[in-house]
Amino acid sequence: MALHAIDDVGDAIDATRAFLFPFDLRRWLKLALVAFFVGGGLNTPSGQFGGSGGPSGSPGPGGGGELPASLPSLPVEAMTLIAVAVAVVVLLALVFGIVGSVMEFVFIESLRNDAVRVRQYWSDRWRQGLRLFGFRVVIGLPLLALVVGWMALFVLPMVTNVQQPAFSAGVFLFGLPVLLLAGLVFAVINAFTTFFVVPLMIQRDSGVLAGWRRLWPSMKREWKQYGAFAVFLLVLSLVVGFITSIAVGLVAVVVLIPFAIIGAIVYVALSLSTTGTVLLGLLAAGFALTMLVVWALVQVPVVAYFRYYALLVLGDIDSSFDIIPDQRAAVRE
């Protein structure tokens, strides 16, 4: 049995090349804006937990030190600033998540129609984007709860002034494989929703659950094909991620040289005066912004490739799911 996940690797390259070239700067900049929100990552927390201690003031059997009696108290002003900072971070994460969910549809529509019309596609698909965001929140909350509960095993003893917690280090370490398994389940569901359910939502103008209801029978029937896709997606992600990291790093070195030269001149001429500090800050911000644009531009062919790859595999598994018949025919002539 031929595996479409293998056969479509090269076709996805051809489809991506045909979509992005000949080079058009305006087209690439619009795609970079979309790819900036579509791209993302998931960081898994890590931590350590000392063995349970003996009586107050003495180390435990393993020779480890005692837990601090309590966390140092912070002034009200500091607590207020921390609360405001947390609220701002949460708000930005929500906004980024909502925009990114809508941009998933914008990018697929751009590939499907071979035309980049951000405002039109946004207007057509923002409701489905909100549904996708809601679905991601729902499947992400259990994982978040597990992470918070796992971290609480370390934090709560210090906060509540507990010298001998009721749980052991083994219970804490047991949470590691549980978190890894939960993270894997979340990653698979989220990836299949992004790569397969979103195109089905576009095809039928439906919601997330309706898209999953269409996809699920196909997954049960062709589980080997979907499993092969998941494996090859992971491998390709690692390989492409390594290559793009090297490329962005090399560009960063080249871009840094003029910024570093100008910064050295400013430092020598103005030292750390107010004017010099402001200019150095502007140079640092300019370098960061330049690298952000570079990163977004590099993401354009990466995101386009993986989306085309998934769309080709999806249509090969089930022809009724094909939303890019013209592109498929063009790369296989």
Side-chain angles (χ1 to χ4, degrees):
M1 179 185 66
L3 292 177
H4 303 305
I6 299 177
D7 298 337
D8 293 338
V9 171
D11 290 344
I13 296 176
D14 296 335
T16 303
R17 185 187 299 115
F19 176 69
L20 296 178
F21 297 98
F23 180 80
D24 184 330
L25 180 59
R26 183 180 179 184
R27 182 186 181 98
W28 272 66
L29 289 176
K30 289 194 292 185
L31 287 170
L33 174 64
V34 180
F36 172 77
F37 288 100
V38 169
L42 177 64
N43 297 320
T44 54
S46 59
Q48 296 177 345
F49 180 74
S52 58
S56 177
S58 63
E66 64 180 22
L67 289 170
S70 62
L71 292 176
S73 59
L74 295 175
V76 176
E77 293 81 2
M79 293 296 293
T80 302
L81 289 176
I82 293 174
V84 171
V86 171
V88 170
V89 170
V90 171
L91 179 61
L92 290 176
L94 288 175
V95 172
F96 196 93
I98 293 173
V99 174
S101 296
V102 180
M103 288 300 188
E104 294 282 1
F105 293 88
V106 173
F107 206 99
I108 295 298
E109 285 283 30
S110 300
L111 300 180
R112 180 190 187 191
N113 300 311
D114 195 18
V116 186
R117 303 186 182 97
V118 178
R119 285 182 294 180
Q120 176 185 331
Y121 301 151
W122 179 284
S123 178
D124 294 340
R125 300 296 177 181
W126 68 269
R127 294 176 182 83
Q128 290 177 301
L130 290 180
R131 295 175 184 174
L132 176 62
F133 173 73
F135 180 82
R136 286 174 168 175
V137 170
V138 169
I139 65 173
L141 284 178
L143 178 62
L144 178 62
L146 283 175
V147 172
V148 172
W150 184 71
M151 294 300 295
L153 296 178
F154 176 74
V155 175
L156 284 181
M158 294 187 294
V159 175
T160 58
N161 195 24
V162 174
Q163 295 291 331
Q164 292 178 292
F167 48 82
S168 65
V171 175
F172 180 80
L173 294 177
F174 177 75
L176 287 174
V178 174
L179 279 180
L180 291 176
L181 179 60
L184 177 62
V185 172
F186 169 83
V188 171
I189 295 175
N190 186 56
F192 274 59
T193 302
T194 300
F195 289 111
F196 294 146
V197 174
V198 167
L200 298 182
M201 293 171 65
I202 291 175
Q203 188 181 47
R204 293 283 182 88
D205 196 20
S206 63
V208 183
L209 296 181
W212 265 107
R213 281 193 292 268
R214 290 186 63 202
L215 179 66
W216 185 246
S218 177
M219 288 182 61
K220 291 191 295 182
R221 184 174 60 254
E222 300 288 349
W223 61 271
K224 292 182 180 179
Q225 296 286 358
Y226 287 101
F229 170 81
V231 172
F232 272 83
L233 180 65
L234 175 61
V235 174
L236 289 172
S237 298
L238 294 175
V239 173
V240 174
F242 178 73
I243 295 174
T244 54
S245 297
I246 294 177
V248 173
L250 293 175
V251 174
V253 172
V254 174
V255 173
L256 179 61
I257 294 175
F259 281 95
I261 294 174
I262 298 174
I265 295 174
V266 170
Y267 179 79
V268 171
L270 301 175
S271 187
L272 291 180
S273 62
T274 302
T275 303
T277 302
V278 171
L279 290 176
L280 289 175
L282 291 175
L283 284 172
F287 174 75
L289 181 60
T290 301
M291 289 311 304
L292 187 64
V293 173
V294 170
W295 179 85
L297 288 171
V298 170
Q299 289 301 305
V300 169
V302 173
V303 176
Y305 173 79
F306 281 113
R307 294 305 186 275
Y308 266 130
Y309 178 57
L311 292 175
L312 289 169
V313 171
L314 181 64
D316 283 338
I317 294 176
D318 191 326
S319 59
S320 65
F321 293 165
D322 189 11
I323 68 169
I324 53 168
D326 296 336
Q327 294 88 332
R328 184 186 307 275
V331 298
R332 292 176 178 175
E333 286 181 350

